[in-house]
Amino acid sequence: MATAIHEVTPQEAAANPPPEAVVVRFAGDSGDGMQLTGGQFTLSTALAGNDLATFPDFPAEIRAPQGTLFGVSAFQINFGSAAIETAGDQPDVLIAMNPAALKTNVEALKPGGLIIADEGEFGQRNLDKAKYAANPLEDESLGKWQLLKLNISQLTLDAVKPFGLGNKEALRCKNMWTLGLALWMFDRDRQPIVDWLKTKFAKAPELAEANIAALNAGHAYGETAELGAMGVGQVHLPAAPAEPGLYRTVTGAESISLGLIAGAQLADLPMFFGGYPITPASAILHHLSRFKEYSVTTFQAEDEIAAIAAALGASYAGQLGVTSSSGPGIALKGEAMGLAIMTELPLVIVNSQRGGPSTGLPTKTEQSDLYQAVYGRNGDAPMPVIAARSAADCFDVAIEAVRIATQYMTPVMILTDGYIANAAEPWKVPDMSDYAPFPVTHHTALPDEGEKFLPYGRDDKLARPWVKPGTPGLLHRIGGIEKQLGTGNIEYSAENHQAMTDIRRMKVEGIDIPDQTVELGETSGKLVVVGWGSTFGPIHQAVRRARRKGLDVAHVHIRHIWPMPKNLGDLLRGYERILVPEMNTGQLKTVLRDQFLVDARPLNKVSGQPFRIAEIEDAIEGALA
């Protein structure tokens, strides 16, 4: 749309229907409540029946200096009446609460888009902090966009004056004033937000009422201020078509937590989660701690090593051990992962990737841990690796990880990333009767007379028996030293180590996983775009757009990173060119070249931001030029 928001006559409305989707970005200081504002706008959007995708983008500092460029927090939402698969390339509307928020976000706004700025914050001090030589609201520097200047700070103070709040407390309500205006702009119901505020501030009802007053004042301003003369009016986006069912918005962290619980239930096992706080993985610990009624035990360990060691101990004791972290913490867990591989115990490890190396970009997204997941342990230590493509997809990926771990007696790593962990999207709550159970039976049978129990004997999956410690008659040795074939006793011989290494490799290679499918397009042709993880949305949209232009391009998205689907090599060889977009320097590309000897070409991005659809679309056209 050429202009983000506009007021039209009934005749114009008939000739120019509302857009299918709108992208809005809230941006302000890290203390302005932009994540909370965006989250509540997301709630109202979901209740209105729109499809949506969100992108929270916030600084790593707990509280950066107020008004500074590196303290800006933003929340972007793409919503509409059609299928939404990304958080949007360019915002249609930017709501900037201070000069720093404007400066760091305005160039992302599409030409002709709408800026709503709190001019009450554009004093000289804040302009200096944002390194503006002149006030951009007064000069012509914002000429390619629409500009709506409102003194949101003063309007908020006026709205909450009856409640006797101090100036500082009163200004904390301005995010609710802004939310009220946004709800009016997009014809949203305020009541769910009112109910939420009353619950949130149940112990401080005066704060609840002040925030509700600010919310109502922002909404009323939109109704009464004749903003149409400034090019701003209401837009109503109809509900998106959806299958009948129960829906809720879900983040990746919530979805993966629910999937782990569901997987444990399908395996008929209690779950033990050992974790240590690290961004963006900490939310999984927080979510799981609320599900004790599903036999979930959560343990916040003193460090990453203790967290995985405790989870592995739980698996040894017969429960489903789970741990999670991000790249730096996964590095610390490496030795214990090797122990899980050597002892052949089930364990699920969730890696919520972030920008690196070292502390890197703790609150930004990246896909740079694929090498670490596939190869990052000492010795030949094969381990299944599965990647989630979206927040909702985390649920099924977690169940799949539990299935593989328990059926094949192996640790499994799930790869998500900061974008998936924090982003929200609608999720159709599944009917669990559609999922086939895979109940675990711990080995209790004594060997026949004259035979010995073989704790490292094998079934048809090459999995060893899972014996709870203390089971009568089934005493066996456990530890990290190489096992003797079958007995599990210590054995250093060259022949035995070769045999055990081969068995551990063959077990992982033989895991039953589905054949690779084509998400969009034909099974052969000129170009295939191959992705994994959170690049799904932008790749899918870019390929769809390219195909509408008549380009011969397909989309393949890999869930099982290791082992890879058995038909993947033949599938990729059916295309003349292979393009692999990744938020790293080319890791999946290297694995594909190694495994299948195909000429996979990279498209890499390590800015801490997700791919834009246009970036991949341009790369497709370049590859086919």
Side-chain angles (χ1 to χ4, degrees), residues 327-487:
I330 296 295
L332 291 169
K333 295 179 190 290
E335 183 180 5
M337 279 187 251
L339 179 60
I341 291 165
M342 177 63 80
T343 56
E344 298 185 55
L345 287 168
L347 183 69
V348 177
I349 304 135
V350 183
N351 182 354
S352 299
Q353 301 165 95
R354 67 190 206 184
S358 186
T359 307
L361 306 174
T363 60
K364 307 302 180 185
T365 196
E366 210 163 274
Q367 292 181 300
S368 293
D369 296 350
L370 187 143
Y371 284 163
Q372 183 186 42
V374 175
Y375 305 120
R377 293 160 295 280
N378 68 293
D380 281 298
M383 185 169 74
V385 180
I386 314 174
R389 65 173 59 172
S390 67
D393 187 51
C394 285
F395 182 81
D396 288 321
V397 164
I399 292 174
E400 174 73 342
V402 175
R403 179 189 73 85
I404 292 173
T406 55
Q407 298 295 298
Y408 291 86
M409 295 293 285
T410 178
V412 179
M413 185 176 289
I414 300 172
L415 290 176
T416 72
D417 57 43
Y419 175 55
I420 291 176
N422 294 319
E425 65 180 6
W427 176 53
K428 184 182 179 184
V429 179
D431 182 352
M432 290 310 297
S433 64
D434 294 337
Y435 290 77
F438 41 87
V440 167
T441 302
H442 294 102
H443 187 83
T444 57
L446 295 173
D448 293 336
E449 188 174 348
E451 295 184 358
K452 289 183 178 180
F453 168 57
L454 297 178
Y456 283 80
R458 308 286 165 176
D459 63 12
D460 58 350
K461 296 184 177 73
L462 296 183
R464 77 175 188 90
W466 193 0
V467 180
K468 291 184 180 181
T471 303
L474 300 181
L475 185 69
H476 64 282
R477 187 183 298 273
I478 198 89
I481 299 179
E482 183 60 282
K483 309 296 176 201
Q484 187 180 62
L485 196 67
T487 69

Side-chain angles (χ1 to χ4, degrees), residues 528-532 539 554-558 572 578-581 588 592:
V528 62
V529 184
V530 181
W532 66 280
I539 292 176
H555 175 199
V556 166
H557 215 76
I558 302 173
L572 295 181
I578 302 168
L579 179 68
V580 187
L588 178 65
L592 293 176

